[in-house]
Each structure stands twice: as structure tokens, then as C-alpha cells.
Amino acid sequence: MTVLDEIIVGVREDLQERQRHVSLDELKAKVAEVAPARDALVALRGASKESVEVISEVKRASPSKGALSDIPEPATLAAAYEAGGAAAISVLTEQRRFKGSLDDLDAVRAAVNIPVLRKDFMVDEYQFWEARAHGADLVLLIVAALDDETLKRFFDLTHELGMNALVETHAPEEIERAVALGAKIIGVNVRNLKTLEVDNANFARLAQYLPQDAVLVAESGVSEAQDVADYASHGAGAVLVGEALVKSGQPTEAVKAFRAAGLTARKEFLAAS
């Protein structure tokens, strides 16, 4: 069993517990009352094709690194990200390995005016209603975790609920599946979720398979501004950053630095294209 398989087992167990307390009908009633989702696709495209947008993450822990930051006030951290120019906030809601929660999602949603990503392992339709009920504008679909039929069903449900999907890939065949789906926000996670190994060069290797009419998101492997520049130099239009921001001590300034580094490199990439 891979690390991804093990995580999903726990996700399903925790999901069953939540379903015992809140029915799907209750979630649907709540969804009818929440404000419409913000347009994450527009936010991630940015004001200019030369910009590299930052999805800044509220992330307490990870399976590979363990505890990263206590984050006693996720709303405060999210507001600091927004002040730095983040295009969206990613909130981990997986409990066992990432120490996240839907409470974190609620706190962040109330604190910022930009799109919020519910970052979790989506394996059941209930989770999508749950995400929208808690104010999410964007959800993560991991191609490696879903067969074609389920991926399509989840993708369609995401849009029926007014949200956008960040469709995460790790290999050429997964990018092919994302493109066939019609995904407009495609992520390349340079962390192999089956082994947790990180290889930043994987983004460059996969860049040739990525459609230029989609928002291309580089995920994982960012520890400094140069990493953002490297991704941008191979076509990334956005980066998703967690650990480097929660440990920076100056999240607002870190987001600004990442955006600046990305802008310079992406200008050079576009000029050479």
C-alpha cells in the first residue's frame, strides 16, 4: 500500500464519522444559504499574463515533515497572505496527517476576500457539498487517486456547485487525463504522493505536456524565491506554497518576494516563447 492509499483509508474513516453527525440533506440546505463561490480561475489568471500568482497554504503538518507550525490563528495567517498579494488561500482540512480541519476553513473564509481552496483528498461526493457549505471556492482533484469515471463525476459536480477544480497531476498520462477532462487549472505536484519524494525538476520535464491555455500550477518544492523563478521559467503561472510560508516568520513579505521572483522569470519565459 502506498502512502497515498494509506492517507485515503484514514480520510474515508473520518468522513464516515462526519456523515454520522451531519447529513447530506443538511449540507445541501446550508449550501443554499452561503454566498456564491468566488471565481478562482479568474483570480489565478491574474491581472497580467506575466504574473505568477501564489496560492498560500495554511498547513500545520505534513506526512513527510511532521509538525510544521502550530498556527493558533489561521485567520490571521490567511490575512497576512492576502496582504502580500496571494491570489488564493489553500486550507488543509485532512485531520490525521496534516492536522487540518473544517474549522480552519471556516476561519479563513471569514477572514479573506479572495478564493479559498479546500485542500483534501476528495473521494466522495459528500465532501464537495461539505466544501461549498463551508465557503470553499476551489477544490483539489488528485488524478492519481481517482478513476476516469469518478474524476469526471467529481469535476462536473464541482462546477455544478459553482466552484473551480485544481486538477493535480504527477505524470504525462495524468496530464493527458486532466486535459481530456477539460481542466482549466492544472497542477503538477513535484512530490510523488506514493513515496513522498520531491523532485523539483519534474515540473520542467512535464512542461511540454501542459496546455498553455490552462492555468499551470507548480505544487510543492518551494523553499525560496529562486524555486518560484525556476517554475516560472518553465511556464508556471501560479505556485502553491505551504511549508516555506508557514515557517517564514514573515508571511506577507514572503508572498511578495515569491510573486516578484515569478514575475521576472515569467516575463523572460514569455519573451523566449
Side-chain angles (χ1 to χ4, degrees):
M1 184 178 286
T2 68
V3 175
L4 177 59
D5 292 333
E6 292 174 354
I7 292 173
I8 288 175
V9 169
V11 166
R12 289 189 181 280
E13 290 176 356
D14 292 338
L15 171 60
Q16 289 173 358
E17 180 64 23
R18 295 197 305 279
Q19 287 174 314
R20 281 194 285 269
H21 290 87
V22 181
S23 71
L24 181 57
D25 285 343
E26 288 175 294
L27 284 180
K28 290 182 176 181
K30 187 175 179 181
V31 166
E33 297 174 355
V34 299
R38 291 163 174 79
D39 194 330
L41 178 59
V42 169
L44 292 175
R45 286 199 189 282
S48 165
K49 65 179 183 179
E50 296 176 338
S51 65
V52 174
E53 301 302 332
V54 179
I55 305 172
S56 302
E57 196 155 76
V58 176
K59 183 178 185 180
R60 289 191 170 87
S62 75
S64 60
K65 297 290 184 68
L68 299 174
S69 176
D70 289 338
I71 313 182
E73 298 292 341
T76 301
L77 178 60
Y81 288 156
E82 184 176 25
I89 309 295
S90 170
V91 182
L92 267 303
T93 58
E94 195 278 333
Q95 303 171 43
R96 301 188 183 201
R97 303 295 188 98
F98 294 90
K99 309 304 180 188
S101 70
L102 289 167
D103 288 341
D104 286 348
L105 183 60
D106 290 337
V108 170
R109 172 69 288 154
V112 301
N113 293 309
I114 55 179
V116 174
L117 163 66
R118 184 205 179 161
K119 184 106 175 284
D120 211 320
F121 298 80
M122 308 297 277
V123 295
D124 190 280
E125 290 187 6
Y126 180 95
Q127 293 169 289
F128 294 82
W129 288 96
E130 193 176 49
R132 184 80 278 271
H134 287 268
D137 311 290
L138 183 65
V139 294
L140 182 71
L141 297 180
I142 302 174
V143 174
L146 304 167
D147 60 39
D148 284 342
E149 180 183 351
T150 306
L151 180 62
K152 178 67 163 61
R153 180 161 48 88
F154 286 177
F155 184 78
D156 289 346
L157 177 58
T158 298
H159 288 92
E160 287 168 14
L161 290 171
M163 298 183 291
N164 288 117
L166 168 55
V167 182
E168 180 176 296
T169 66
H170 305 80
E173 60 272 20
E174 294 178 9
I175 294 174
E176 184 177 344
R177 292 174 64 197
V179 172
L181 191 66
K184 294 301 182 184
I185 307 172
I186 300 178
V188 171
N189 194 341
V190 301
R191 183 185 304 280
N192 185 326
L193 292 181
K194 297 179 180 179
T195 65
L196 299 185
E197 295 176 353
V198 174
D199 180 3
N200 285 30
N202 206 33
F203 188 88
R205 285 192 289 267
L206 294 177
Q208 62 180 306
Y209 304 103
L210 294 165
Q212 294 306 305
D213 62 343
V215 175
L216 309 180
V217 184
E219 303 176 50
S220 301
V222 174
S223 59
E224 58 185 13
Q226 184 59 47
D227 296 318
V228 179
D230 289 344
Y231 289 144
S233 71
H234 289 95
V239 293
L240 193 156
V241 189
E243 179 181 350
L245 290 175
V246 299
K247 296 173 69 175
S248 71
Q250 295 182 309
T252 297
E253 296 308 315
V255 172
K256 289 179 179 178
F258 290 163
R259 296 186 74 231
L263 177 64
T264 300
R266 185 161 171 82
K267 283 183 177 179
E268 295 173 356
F269 167 79
L270 292 172
S273 298

